[in-house]
Amino acid sequence: MPSSRLTIPEIQAKKGKEKICALTAYDFLFARLLDEAGLDLILVGDSAAMVVLGYEDTLPVTMEEMLVLARAVSRGAKRALVVGDMPFLSYQVSDEEAIRNAGRFLKEGGCQAVKIEGGREMAPRISRIVQAGIPVLGHIGLTPQRAVSLGGFKVQGRDVTSAKRLLEDAQILVEAGVFALVLECVPRELAAEITRRIPVPTIGIGAGAETDGQILVLHDVLGLFEGFRPRFVKSYAHLAEEARRAIKEYIREVREGLFPQEEHGFRLSEEVKKALKL
Ligand code: KIV
């Protein structure tokens, strides 16, 4: 049966024609909502570490945890391309480990591609993974797994040396075989120039409006995550407030005996009541 899922060439063909819309998701329910809304790409981001699992940063999340989330997302998304985010230390140690772990996102997680953070230093590894038949989405600029070495969650490429380095890294990653490139926290003009220079789509997060697509963390977009909120985030709803209101209302009604009402329950038939002498 032909699949209606977006393919990588279809995503790539949008470059310069139509914006690529991407968000993260970490479970079946939201993946289905995003898919039904017509999103192009769903990233099972390692941001799950913070917004789902409650860790301080993205470093502790494991392959096993990511695979559970990836499987749930894949079950919910029928049309969007699903990309698994390779967690810290799942691809840094050796080519062999990186290929095996990337492959697990496809074989066990139901994803169509993986994302890997890093510039030129990761290019040979990315090339090996791509040669193994696993599509890779690159990620440069602010790479949260290296936030400590980068001096925190800061905009990257602001001075001449680092801007040139990012321009070169983008080209090197294209040569290594990435099918698209996430640009995180990069000045708008630099992201626009990278977008002009490389043949594959750029997907920006805090990188201005000239990239080929945009990605944000779903829990930020929905106003569900109330922790750290970068400047580039726009919330289109305030679901945490709404959830808090609903839960408080539930607690009040249970405490006051207002819930459940007759319509929320079940009754025995007269016959059974009689037999039980109720
Ligand atoms: O893990 C993540 O959420 C990301 C971003 C690009 C959204 O890597």
Side-chain angles (χ1 to χ4, degrees):
M1 200 167 73
S3 153
S4 58
R5 190 183 299 284
L6 279 171
T7 63
I8 286 173
E10 282 168 341
I11 298 263
Q12 290 180 315
K14 291 180 188 281
K15 186 174 174 83
K17 296 194 185 93
E18 192 190 323
K19 292 283 184 185
I20 297 163
C21 300
L23 284 170
T24 63
Y26 318 98
D27 64 17
F28 169 78
L29 195 68
F30 275 123
R32 197 168 63 178
L33 286 175
L34 300 186
D35 209 52
E36 286 168 359
L39 199 82
D40 300 311
L41 185 150
I42 299 180
L43 173 69
V44 188
D46 66 349
S47 47
M50 295 160 85
V51 302
V52 175
L53 301 174
Y55 294 123
E56 286 272 303
D57 53 41
T58 58
L59 300 194
V61 70
T62 64
M63 271 302 295
E64 302 312 319
E65 288 168 327
M66 288 300 295
L67 285 173
V68 170
L69 307 179
R71 278 195 286 275
V73 169
S74 303
R75 285 191 284 265
K78 301 284 171 250
R79 179 187 168 272
L81 192 86
V82 180
V83 180
D85 204 0
M86 295 199 63
F88 179 63
L89 233 53
S90 68
Y91 58 94
Q92 288 90 342
V93 177
S94 67
D95 284 351
E96 204 175 295
E97 254 188 57
I99 294 170
R100 200 176 307 286
N101 283 325
R104 289 188 75 193
F105 272 104
L106 273 58
K107 268 176 86 92
E108 301 170 41
C111 300
Q112 287 78 54
V114 297
K115 178 170 81 60
I116 290 188
E117 292 186 10
R120 65 195 68 195
E121 71 290 352
M122 286 315 303
R125 184 134 307 153
I126 288 174
S127 168
R128 293 294 313 278
I129 296 171
V130 173
Q131 279 165 31
I134 302 163
V136 176
L137 171 61
H139 182 165
I140 58 171
L142 172 60
T143 44
Q145 291 176 11
R146 291 163 199 238
V148 175
S149 333
L150 296 175
F153 290 85
K154 288 188 180 153
V155 181
Q156 302 295 306
R158 277 195 139 147
D159 58 72
V160 178
T161 314
S162 62
K164 276 190 178 161
R165 195 175 164 86
L166 280 177
L167 278 163
E168 287 167 9
D169 277 355
Q171 302 275 10
I172 293 168
L173 289 178
V174 170
E175 279 154 33
V178 296
F179 74 88
L181 189 58
V182 170
L183 302 176
E184 179 163 355
C185 262
V186 172
R188 178 180 187 141
E189 301 86 342
L190 181 58
E193 186 55 23
I194 293 174
T195 302
R196 276 190 290 274
R197 284 196 197 182
I198 64 172
V200 303
T202 56
I203 303 179
I205 172 164
E210 284 90 13
T211 51
D212 297 305
Q214 296 291 329
I215 186 163
L216 283 174
V217 168
L218 178 68
H219 289 42
D220 290 334
V221 168
L222 297 181
L224 267 172
F225 186 66
E226 295 175 312
F228 174 62
R229 195 173 183 282
R231 172 192 157 101
F232 56 74
V233 163
K234 179 171 177 187
S235 298
Y236 290 79
H238 302 283
L239 296 194
E241 274 170 31
E242 180 58 11
R244 212 176 280 117
R245 186 205 57 72
I247 295 159
K248 280 190 177 158
E249 185 69 356
Y250 167 76
I251 293 171
R252 186 185 66 76
E253 288 202 355
V254 170
R255 287 198 176 136
E256 292 178 10
L258 297 170
F259 176 83
Q261 298 278 312
E262 185 62 27
E263 71 264 30
H264 303 119
F266 312 93
R267 289 260 179 196
L268 284 173
S269 68
E270 288 308 318
E271 194 189 338
V272 176
K273 272 165 61 178
K274 209 165 153 190
L276 295 174
K277 297 193 174 59
L278 295 177

